[in-house]
Amino acid sequence: GSAGSEGIYESLKDKQGITGELIKSLSPSVLSKCNIIVLSHMKSISTRDYLLSYKDLLRRYVEAGGGIILTHNACGYRDLFKDAPLFPEIEKAVGKKDAFFMKKVAGVNHPVLKDLALKIKHGYSDHIQMEAGEKGKVLIIDEDNKAVVISGRYGKGKVVADRKSTR
């Protein structure tokens, strides 16, 4: 598993109406079974999928109606994603910041923001700062007024980019 994958899986696996699985392939047969994918980086994905165009596979999956939550390096900060965001029309990473606070964007209504306080303290010290593309909507910003959560539609699907970083 990858950094954060097991924690996300464990926190969701017993929720009513959610069936989760840690995937090791981005093949169309695997992706077609998923409603939503949470992607942090490519460390656990099979070598075979690296040889295929992982970017094309994921973009086609979302375009056909799938959902994807990009976290960690998948927001475009490191690894294969650096300078090559998966959904540049939604977001791209612009840096990293050491800080603990972020806040909802005033006047923005989105399901991701439901039940969140206006000001949020996260339990780690660093996060990715992002910039919205032409189809991206900034939901949460940091102390520098930089985006840390962005959502958007791509084809029939949805993308959420979440700021969490790893050291």
Side-chain angles (χ1 to χ4, degrees):
S2 62
S5 299
E6 290 86 357
I8 292 169
Y9 171 73
E10 289 297 321
S11 70
L12 294 175
K13 74 175 186 170
D14 295 326
K15 300 285 186 212
Q16 187 174 357
I18 295 177
T19 304
E21 153 181 1
L22 294 171
I23 62 172
K24 302 265 185 210
S25 171
L26 298 177
S27 69
S29 63
V30 170
L31 293 178
S32 68
K33 296 175 188 170
C34 302
N35 293 324
I36 298 172
I37 294 173
V38 179
L39 184 66
S40 59
H41 51 67
M42 299 288 282
K43 290 180 182 173
S44 298
I45 300 299
S46 73
T47 306
R48 182 178 164 271
D49 287 339
Y50 278 114
L51 301 176
L52 298 171
S53 174
Y54 68 90
K55 186 173 184 177
D56 288 342
L57 290 168
L58 290 168
R59 286 175 66 85
R60 276 187 264 157
Y61 161 77
V62 175
E63 187 173 33
I68 191 165
I69 300 172
L70 305 172
T71 69
H72 299 288
N73 299 341
C75 291
Y77 185 66
R78 286 189 182 143
D79 298 339
L80 295 171
F81 304 106
K82 185 164 177 61
D83 300 322
L86 287 170
F87 296 92
E89 51 278 290
I90 308 293
E91 65 81 32
K92 71 175 186 175
V94 294
K96 190 171 96 164
K97 166 99 174 165
D98 284 333
F100 285 98
F101 291 97
M102 55 192 169
K103 61 184 176 182
K104 296 194 292 188
V105 175
V108 174
N109 186 17
H110 192 278
V112 168
L113 302 174
K114 185 181 179 199
D115 299 328
L116 286 181
L118 181 61
K119 189 173 182 182
I120 306 151
K121 180 178 181 181
H122 49 88
Y124 46 88
S125 65
D126 62 332
H127 63 264
I128 304 296
Q129 293 179 313
M130 296 178 283
E131 183 176 280
E134 71 271 7
K135 293 184 178 180
K137 182 178 191 176
V138 178
L139 304 180
I140 299 177
I141 56 176
D142 67 10
E143 295 148 331
D144 296 337
N145 293 319
K146 297 275 189 188
V148 292
V149 178
I150 297 174
S151 71
R153 288 185 108 13
Y154 180 75
K156 296 178 182 174
K158 298 175 185 175
V159 176
V160 173
D162 182 1
R163 80 281 169 231
K164 188 171 184 319
S165 172
T166 56
R167 288 206 180 261

